[in-house]
Amino acid sequence: MITFEEIKKDPAIRTYIKKADESLINLGFTEHSFAHVGLVAANSKYILETLGYSPREVELVQIAAYLHDIGNLVNRIDHSQSGAVMAFRLLDHLHMDPVEIAEVVTAIGNHDEGTGTPVSPMAAALILADKSDVRRSRVRNQDTSKFDIHDRVNYSVTKAELKINESKTLIKLKLHIDTRYGSVMDYFEIFLNRMVLCRKAAETLGLQFKLIINEQQLI
């Protein structure tokens, strides 16, 4: 049985994640390397674990989260589909059970807001975890005068919290935004489709989705 720890330590997988992020550096995208996939894996685990899914389902969603962005190695366009194909080849080579490969590949292939659909609990958890990763440390460009809208939105978020309520009926994404660098309107301009997908993902898990934005201007 392939474990999440084995996936994280696999040299080929680590190489593909690193090289995929290098491609995005050249395209001017925010960070999509180990910090991102590690956080997405942690939040995917939190979602399914909190909702009472089995330990193996929790581990599989972590594997899907860790592999979800390797398709950027091929091309940013349709990277969820190319990533799913790459993940299939890698996991098959590691002799993972075909049923488990299918679950992981389905989640990866459906995580992007352009073409994805939360067709399973695992896909839904991955969507919510991925789309909620908005943070200052994802911005590579440190010259604020040259920020594009993606830089402004990520840099303006001083804190992001993804929480399921005690009754397990609601998942809430709470963002704290420093309005010196970006506005709420900036956020909705580029994240509206992602939030719509998050709402659908929450519904797949039997939850309501709520977005809370706190505006502040830090000195």
Side-chain angles (χ1 to χ4, degrees), residues 81-153:
Q81 281 77 34
S82 52
V85 173
M86 289 179 66
F88 170 82
R89 196 271 180 189
L90 289 164
L91 297 175
D92 185 55
H93 182 71
L94 293 171
H95 305 294
M96 180 182 272
D97 179 83
V99 172
E100 294 189 342
I101 292 177
E103 292 174 350
V104 170
V105 167
T106 296
I108 294 172
N110 279 283
H111 84 270
D112 186 66
E113 67 268 18
T115 56
T117 305
V119 294
S120 68
M122 196 178 297
L126 176 55
I127 287 167
L128 287 161
D130 181 40
K131 306 314 173 190
S132 62
D133 184 17
V134 190
R135 53 188 161 83
R136 180 166 292 185
S137 56
R138 293 195 75 181
V139 179
R140 309 180 203 268
N141 174 22
Q142 296 302 301
D143 185 350
T144 57
S145 67
K146 296 181 180 178
F147 277 1
D148 64 15
I149 189 170
H150 292 84
D151 292 332
R152 291 199 305 273
V153 166

Side-chain angles (χ1 to χ4, degrees), residues 10 15 24 34 52-53 65 80 99 106 108 126 141 154 162 174 178 187 190 219:
D10 186 276
T15 296
L24 294 184
F34 298 106
Y53 285 83
S80 58
V99 172
T106 296
I108 294 172
L126 176 55
N141 174 22
N154 280 277
L162 187 68
K174 187 175 183 180
D178 184 347
Y187 182 86
I190 64 171
I219 304 301

